[in-house]
Amino acid sequence: MSEIAKIELGGNSYELPIVEGTEQEKGIDISKLRGGTGGYITLDPGFKNTGSTKSAITFLDGEKGILRYRGYPIEQLADKASFLEVAYLLIYNELPTQEELDTFKNSITSHTLVHEDMKQFFEAYPAKAHPMGVLASMVCSLSTFYPESLDPNRDQEARNLTIHRLIAKLPTLAAWSYKNAMRHPFMYPKNDLDYGANFLHMMYAMPTEDYEPDPVIVNALNTLLILHADHEQNCSASTVRIVGSSHANLYASISAGISALWGPLHGGANQAVIEMLEQIAEDGDVDKWVAKAKDKNDPFRLMGFGHRVYKNFDPRARIIKKACDDVLAKLGIDDPMLDIAKKLEQIALEDEYFKARNLYPNVDFYSGIIYKAIGIPTEMFTVMFALGRLPGWIAQWQEMIDNKEPIGRPRQIYTGETERDYVNIANR
Ligand code: SDX
């Protein structure tokens, strides 16, 4: 007998079906609640208790600190896979064979160039333009160069071209947004470099001399991109799904996801963490800043701490913290930020305020220190997050389209003025 939920409303009893997932998560299916109860809806600001969809892409368990992409533990993927292998897994549901991976990589390599007309767009931005604003605009602009991308319901082969173009061009657009800010000459992609090395080449190479990406940095970047690749129905993934549910094209949907990620409560936290650590390093009094974070009257929050879902630890933070130690040691860097970060983490882990609220370091807490160590400028940190998250966003968008999900249109409880008549301005 399948489980049901019973609710009593206005003297009547209603039964609601229970949905159970492959990892025994359970949800009350309220899709017929309003019609069945004469108008009752549920209310859940921030969707803390509300599922928006059924998904087969990523599973995470916030209590146990589990994160799996298509069933594969993040620890194994970060240790053994390449980023494009993980991108293929997220988008096509299976780890690729060597032949499938080669075909995927070759398709992406052949689309890394951006239309020459788009270079002019960069020159119109001021040097101080935040690269996330540039990236969101440029990704949406791709739809104007590839009108065949406008229809999300084309067959998989046509859709693959739209998808591969975006995976191929995002590193180029990201690196060029940095070069534009530096007013340095743009560097074109090199087809003999792999994904991460090509990005580093476009970021740091100059026309005047050869540039050889450091393997330690390339490896660290591969790990970071994998760790950021998907995270089920987070703010930006939900944004991609709801924009895509109107059948807006993929590029417009991803552009919306980039904008959502920009916020300091979401992907923008990695930039905010380093700015916070710099502020604390300058001030020198870590305890003062911890007290500020606990003070309800102080808007300051400990950036990089806390998570909507992880209530014990963020498995990605553990991997990144170890990678931090490795990368800084291999590069011979002694970054005082890392010492402050570890001291902050230790204080918070022992402090009742943080323990009572299950506030632990999240994926953004240590990632900025690695990005800094490999030479990524602070304003590009969230762009790095977007580079990693792209295949996850694409997989989420594709699942929503393939499942023919309805347009997203939440209800509300109205709390404004009841009906009243217009008053002529002379009488107001
Ligand atoms: C990401 O969803 C995802 O999966 C996101 C992400 C992904 O991969 O896509 O994991 C990436 O966005 C990670 C989170 C990055 N953001 C930050 O590091 C910003 C700092 N963190 C907080 O803003 C906060 O923890 C959130 C936004 C991450 C989560 O907020 P919630 O779940 O809405 O929790 P809340 O704001 O209701 O806080 C609960 C309590 C509150 O105190 P009380 O009202 O109960 O007294 O905890 C407090 C908050 O004031 N609190 C913090 C805090 N985070 C929460 N207090 C101090 N410092 C913090 N960082």
Side-chain angles (χ1 to χ4, degrees), residues 176-397:
W176 285 8
S177 67
Y178 169 64
K179 286 295 198 187
N180 178 63
M182 301 296 287
R183 292 302 189 244
H184 285 176
F186 290 173
M187 293 305 292
Y188 283 92
K190 286 179 68 177
N191 287 354
D192 60 338
L193 294 175
D194 81 5
Y195 198 75
N198 209 357
F199 171 71
L200 293 169
H201 158 75
M202 292 186 281
M203 280 282 290
Y204 300 120
M206 295 292 265
T208 47
E209 54 203 39
D210 289 340
Y211 170 83
E212 193 60 43
D214 181 328
V216 171
I217 295 178
V218 173
N219 188 49
L221 182 57
N222 181 69
T223 302
L224 285 163
L225 293 175
I226 289 172
L227 292 173
H228 287 81
D230 192 54
H231 213 241
E232 53 129 284
Q233 303 311 314
N234 59 85
C235 178
S236 53
S238 301
T239 301
V240 169
R241 286 182 85 119
I242 202 162
V243 170
S245 72
S246 74
H247 287 193
N249 63 81
L250 174 64
Y251 298 153
S253 303
I254 299 297
S255 172
I258 293 171
S259 299
L261 188 73
W262 195 356
L265 296 187
H266 189 16
N270 56 18
Q271 174 176 343
V273 166
I274 287 295
E275 290 166 350
M276 173 189 76
L277 292 175
E278 285 166 349
Q279 203 172 18
I280 294 174
E282 192 181 325
D283 179 275
D285 183 351
V286 177
D287 293 321
K288 180 183 93 176
W289 289 90
V290 171
K292 280 170 66 64
K294 291 158 60 176
D295 179 356
K296 299 310 294 166
N297 300 317
D298 190 323
F300 174 75
R301 282 196 163 182
L302 221 44
M303 301 315 278
F305 267 76
H307 198 278
R308 173 61 58 77
V309 179
Y310 289 125
K311 297 307 176 188
N312 278 316
F313 63 91
D314 183 334
R316 302 167 296 178
R318 282 193 169 174
I319 300 170
I320 292 180
K321 181 178 177 180
K322 183 182 178 306
C324 238
D325 288 329
D326 294 350
V327 168
L328 268 62
K330 286 176 184 165
L331 295 177
I333 295 172
D334 177 19
D335 185 348
M337 294 293 159
L338 183 58
D339 302 331
I340 292 177
K342 287 183 174 177
K343 184 176 179 193
L344 212 47
E345 178 182 11
Q346 199 48 46
I347 292 172
L349 294 182
E350 291 160 4
D351 185 297
E352 199 41 48
Y353 172 93
F354 294 93
K355 288 198 297 190
R357 293 166 177 78
N358 301 311
L359 300 177
Y360 299 87
N362 59 46
V363 66
D364 295 306
F365 188 62
Y366 285 104
S367 54
I369 294 169
I370 294 191
Y371 288 140
K372 186 163 166 275
I374 64 178
I376 305 287
T378 307
E379 284 219 329
M380 285 288 287
F381 286 5
T382 311
V383 168
M384 302 309 294
F385 196 141
L387 284 179
R389 187 51 54 90
L390 179 62
W393 285 332
I394 292 170
Q396 298 284 347
W397 172 87

Side-chain angles (χ1 to χ4, degrees), residues 16-262:
L16 295 168
I18 300 296
V19 175
E20 183 166 350
T22 50
E23 290 288 347
Q24 289 73 54
E25 295 167 305
K26 293 182 180 180
I28 301 169
D29 179 346
I30 58 168
S31 51
K32 295 186 172 47
L33 178 72
R34 188 170 187 274
T37 61
Y40 280 89
I41 65 168
T42 58
L43 190 60
D44 185 20
F47 313 114
K48 294 191 178 188
N49 305 280
T50 301
S52 58
T53 189
K54 290 185 233 178
S55 177
I57 301 169
T58 291
F59 170 71
L60 62 86
D61 181 319
E63 282 66 34
K64 296 178 186 153
I66 293 173
L67 175 58
R68 300 189 199 122
Y69 298 157
R70 301 284 190 185
Y72 295 96
I74 190 69
E75 293 79 6
Q76 295 181 27
L77 294 172
D79 184 36
K80 298 182 168 73
S82 71
F83 175 62
L84 285 185
E85 221 178 326
V86 170
Y88 186 100
L89 169 66
L90 285 166
I91 296 167
Y92 301 111
N93 190 29
E94 296 295 340
L95 285 170
T97 62
Q98 189 60 58
E99 185 185 353
E100 289 166 335
L101 183 57
D102 293 344
T103 305
F104 184 58
K105 285 171 77 169
N106 293 339
S107 171
I108 286 167
T109 301
S110 64
H111 288 101
T112 50
L113 277 176
V114 167
H115 201 291
E116 280 295 300
D117 288 356
M118 288 190 84
K119 283 176 68 176
Q120 305 165 51
F121 299 178
F122 285 95
E123 285 141 26
Y125 287 105
K128 63 181 182 306
H130 195 290
M132 283 297 276
V134 175
L135 201 64
S137 316
M138 286 296 180
V139 166
C140 202
S141 300
L142 285 174
S143 60
T144 65
F145 287 83
Y146 305 105
E148 64 277 21
S149 69
L150 296 178
D151 176 3
N153 296 302
R154 299 186 66 204
D155 64 28
Q156 189 65 47
E157 190 181 343
R159 185 193 288 175
N160 281 343
L161 176 57
T162 296
I163 289 171
H164 296 182
R165 273 181 172 142
L166 183 53
I167 297 174
K169 296 177 196 311
L170 198 66
T172 309
L173 292 169
W176 285 8
S177 67
Y178 169 64
K179 286 295 198 187
N180 178 63
M182 301 296 287
R183 292 302 189 244
H184 285 176
F186 290 173
M187 293 305 292
Y188 283 92
K190 286 179 68 177
N191 287 354
D192 60 338
L193 294 175
D194 81 5
Y195 198 75
N198 209 357
F199 171 71
L200 293 169
H201 158 75
M202 292 186 281
M203 280 282 290
Y204 300 120
M206 295 292 265
T208 47
E209 54 203 39
D210 289 340
Y211 170 83
E212 193 60 43
D214 181 328
V216 171
I217 295 178
V218 173
N219 188 49
L221 182 57
N222 181 69
T223 302
L224 285 163
L225 293 175
I226 289 172
L227 292 173
H228 287 81
D230 192 54
H231 213 241
E232 53 129 284
Q233 303 311 314
N234 59 85
C235 178
S236 53
S238 301
T239 301
V240 169
R241 286 182 85 119
I242 202 162
V243 170
S245 72
S246 74
H247 287 193
N249 63 81
L250 174 64
Y251 298 153
S253 303
I254 299 297
S255 172
I258 293 171
S259 299
L261 188 73
W262 195 356

